Amino acid sequence: MKFSIPEKEKMVLLEQLQQANLKFQQTYPGDKPDRQPVHTVYGGANLFKADTCVKMGEIALKNLQTYAPNFVVLANVLQLNGHEHLPKHQDDIEALTQKLDAMSAAMRKQEPAWLSYTVYNKIIKKLQQEAVEDFRIDFEDGFGNRPDAEEDATAAQAARKLAMGMKNKTVSPFIGIRIKPFTEDLKQRGVRTLDIFLSTLLESTNGVLPDNFVVMLPKVTIPEQVVTLVRLFELLEKAHQLAPGSLKMETMVEATQIIMDDEGRNPLLRIIKASEGRCIAAHFGTYDYTASCGITAKYQTMAHPVCDFAHHMTKVALAGTGIFLSDGATNVMPIGPHRGDQLSFEQMAENRESVHQAWRTGFHHTMHSLINGFYQGWDLNPAQLPMRYAATYNFFLNSYEDAVFRLKTFVERAAISTLTKDIFDDAATGQGLLNFFLKAMNCGAISEEEATATGLTIDEIRSRSFYRILEGRRKK
């Protein structure tokens, strides 16, 4: 064959391209295989107790069973697929429930009521076993501006309660604190709370941090605020003999300036880079952001178009970086207007309608987030948890068959690609597909065995890395 490009010149050019490619891959490594919680619950620091997460699960379960005593009620309220074919009378509902209970999982999938039945029962199981996946002890909006002495005392008390929860194994698998922002007027207070909380916590635990501990820095607008937190982390790690890099952070997207700066650029990636690898997530602040856009309180909702604009800008800025993204919170609480044990029939009916309307709002907001690629969001009240899981399970179960086909096809194609050493692009793309199943398994939507329908083995799935899967298959 005839070639016109000299070998030496070609190799020089390709080596230069290699350096640029590797730099790009370092900036955009692709989706992380780590577990991402489906939500973060924010609670005022003054209310935090060692067993807060357990109590929230109990309240959430009671709320679900009170206002949806069976899967048919929930399906009708949320209009889940096939709800119109479900029985109307209580005797028929009980008979169908008993029939489904007696079936194997495989047989049940052939029934029209399978989705509604499965979603409902998975919610109950989740609320009983791990109702809260991630909790943020809040010293910002959920706590407010209080005298220094009161916030000092609360920071120390909350730290001791967290240490007790760690000992009793009653804390959520992901947990952290939100401090006040590093704006000029609040930076001193934010640093003081961070120092008191971590110093007290580490003293109480003999230098041990909770699993998946993170510090949320709100209202970030410039990289220097993140840089300052990183330097403070270094001082704390040195003082408490923590391994360098132990302390992680999150940032919030809740001001227009973090979407577009004074030069017309999106500064998000520069802000993430300023964390020197410590920032693991970016959370959207629905109500601060809509307020910064001049939206009046009545129309500040997750469904407002300005939120979608911010979501898309955030995804474009951070896609492929491995930074977890979280949507904001629904501010409509599923709590009836009437309290007490001696309610009239009319009052109970009003409560039920109020809760069901709030359920629909929360469910649709969460589904909207999931469809737009935000697999995490905020919850503010335990009564919101059932709808968090209703939407999450509905989303994953409705998408399961299509996702199985896509990943199975990709695995088969990738097996051929590995023979040509075309591994980096395949690993990045395959990781995105694999992460759907990892997210579904983490929250309890599907089992490991159900994920093997993709053609992957359980050991391959547990590796959580499509790169390792391809490497393993190449060696074989």
Side-chain angles (χ1 to χ4, degrees):
M1 295 184 186
K2 182 175 176 59
F3 295 96
S4 302
I5 301 174
E7 186 67 18
K8 183 177 180 181
E9 281 84 345
K10 180 183 77 173
M11 293 309 299
V12 169
L13 290 170
L14 292 182
E15 285 174 5
Q16 291 174 346
L17 177 59
Q18 180 188 39
Q19 293 176 12
N21 281 338
L22 293 176
K23 182 179 179 180
F24 177 85
Q25 290 171 4
Q26 187 176 17
T27 303
Y28 300 100
D31 294 338
K32 281 190 299 190
D34 302 349
R35 178 182 177 184
Q36 180 182 10
V38 301
H39 71 164
T40 301
V41 177
Y42 276 75
N46 55 308
L47 302 175
F48 181 74
K49 302 289 188 295
D51 62 350
T52 288
C53 294
V54 175
K55 295 294 186 184
M56 291 188 79
E58 294 171 354
I59 295 169
L61 183 59
K62 182 179 180 182
N63 177 270
L64 175 67
Q65 293 175 330
T66 298
Y67 296 106
N70 57 66
F71 76 92
V72 173
V73 173
L74 184 67
N76 286 326
V77 170
L78 303 180
Q79 296 190 328
L80 299 181
N81 288 348
H83 74 95
E84 65 273 14
H85 302 302
L86 296 175
K88 308 296 183 185
H89 301 293
Q90 186 62 34
D91 290 346
D92 295 332
I93 293 172
E94 291 176 1
L96 177 58
T97 302
Q98 291 173 7
K99 175 186 173 183
L100 293 169
D101 287 344
M103 287 182 172
S104 66
M107 289 178 60
R108 202 178 292 129
K109 279 189 176 182
Q110 308 306 314
E111 293 291 321
W114 168 77
L115 178 66
S116 301
Y117 172 91
T118 303
V119 167
Y120 184 79
N121 284 284
K122 284 184 179 292
I123 296 170
I124 290 177
K125 183 178 180 181
K126 182 69 171 179
L127 296 178
Q128 290 172 335
Q129 296 181 350
E130 190 187 71
V132 178
E133 291 194 359
D134 188 16
F135 191 90
R136 211 60 79 245
I137 303 169
D138 193 10
F139 289 93
E140 202 218 2
D141 290 344
F143 182 74
N145 294 317
R146 306 186 184 208
D148 281 339
E150 183 176 352
E151 184 159 338
D152 287 351
T154 302
Q157 173 185 286
R160 288 190 287 267
K161 295 294 184 182
L162 177 55
M164 186 185 303
M166 292 168 62
K167 180 180 179 181
N168 298 338
K169 301 186 185 305
T170 55
V171 298
S172 52
F174 296 80
I175 198 160
I177 62 171
R178 178 165 69 166
I179 59 176
K180 286 185 169 62
F182 281 5
T183 54
E184 196 58 27
D185 54 338
L186 290 173
K187 63 185 183 182
Q188 293 282 357
R189 183 62 261 179
V191 174
R192 186 178 177 91
T193 296
L194 175 69
D195 194 354
I196 292 172
F197 183 92
L198 280 174
S199 298
T200 306
L201 175 66
L202 293 168
E203 180 183 49
S204 303
T205 63
N206 295 317
V208 177
L209 286 170
D211 292 337
N212 302 304
F213 180 80
V214 68
V215 175
M216 165 60 78
L217 183 63
K219 296 180 174 59
V220 174
T221 51
I222 54 176
E224 289 80 2
Q225 293 165 342
V226 173
V227 171
T228 300
L229 184 59
V230 170
R231 300 285 88 83
L232 291 166
F233 279 171
E234 291 171 345
L235 294 173
L236 287 163
E237 287 168 349
K238 183 177 180 180
H240 296 283
Q241 299 181 321
L242 296 173
S246 296
L247 292 170
K248 303 295 184 183
M249 67 161 293
E250 300 168 324
T251 187
M252 292 202 64
V253 179
E254 55 183 338
T256 55
Q257 293 84 2
I258 201 171
I259 294 297
M260 188 172 291
D261 65 16
D262 59 340
E263 295 180 348
R265 301 178 301 175
N266 185 311
L268 263 170
L269 188 53
R270 285 187 288 118
I271 285 171
I272 296 298
K273 286 183 175 180
S275 74
E276 300 174 19
R278 292 181 186 260
C279 187
I280 62 172
H283 290 225
F284 183 64
T286 306
Y287 304 100
D288 281 295
Y289 184 81
T290 50
S292 74
C293 290
I295 310 302
T296 58
K298 180 179 179 179
Y299 300 104
Q300 290 178 5
T301 168
M302 289 178 67
H304 199 287
V306 300
C307 296
D308 279 343
F309 174 78
H311 293 155
H312 299 324
M313 290 289 286
T314 300
K315 285 195 73 72
V316 168
L318 300 182
T321 61
I323 298 297
F324 287 142
L325 303 181
S326 173
D327 207 344
T330 300
N331 64 353
V332 180
M333 300 299 123
I335 300 172
H338 306 291
R339 308 291 176 87
D341 298 325
Q342 304 297 322
L343 299 181
S344 67
F345 177 83
E346 289 77 12
Q347 289 174 320
M348 288 189 289
E350 288 178 10
N351 277 358
R352 186 165 56 250
E353 178 54 35
S354 176
V355 168
H356 287 176
Q357 183 58 46
W359 277 1
R360 283 187 285 268
T361 299
F363 177 83
H364 291 306
H365 283 171
T366 303
M367 283 296 297
H368 182 77
S369 300
L370 291 164
I371 290 168
N372 281 284
F374 280 73
Y375 296 98
Q376 184 177 354
W378 287 13
D379 290 313
L380 306 175
N381 186 285
Q384 293 181 306
L385 300 184
M387 291 312 101
R388 171 67 56 187
Y389 295 117
T392 300
Y393 295 150
N394 179 67
F395 173 82
F396 282 115
L397 293 175
N398 264 320
S399 306
Y400 171 76
E401 296 295 341
D402 179 63
V404 166
F405 174 79
R406 289 184 62 207
L407 185 54
K408 186 175 183 178
T409 302
F410 190 83
V411 168
E412 292 169 351
R413 183 174 66 81
I416 299 172
S417 298
T418 56
L419 297 177
T420 63
K421 299 185 180 181
D422 183 18
I423 193 167
F424 288 105
D425 289 340
D426 280 333
T429 307
Q431 188 66 54
L433 291 170
L434 176 61
N435 279 355
F436 172 89
F437 292 92
L438 294 175
K439 292 177 189 298
M441 288 187 295
N442 286 336
C443 69
I446 66 171
S447 65
E448 286 184 340
E449 286 73 20
E450 287 173 308
T452 60
T454 59
L456 300 178
T457 67
I458 289 180
D459 286 340
E460 286 176 327
I461 293 167
R462 287 175 179 166
S463 76
R464 307 182 65 83
S465 169
F466 204 77
Y467 179 87
R468 291 179 192 167
I469 292 170
L470 292 185
E471 284 282 11
R473 293 196 173 202
R474 172 189 280 178
K475 290 176 182 177
K476 291 179 182 178

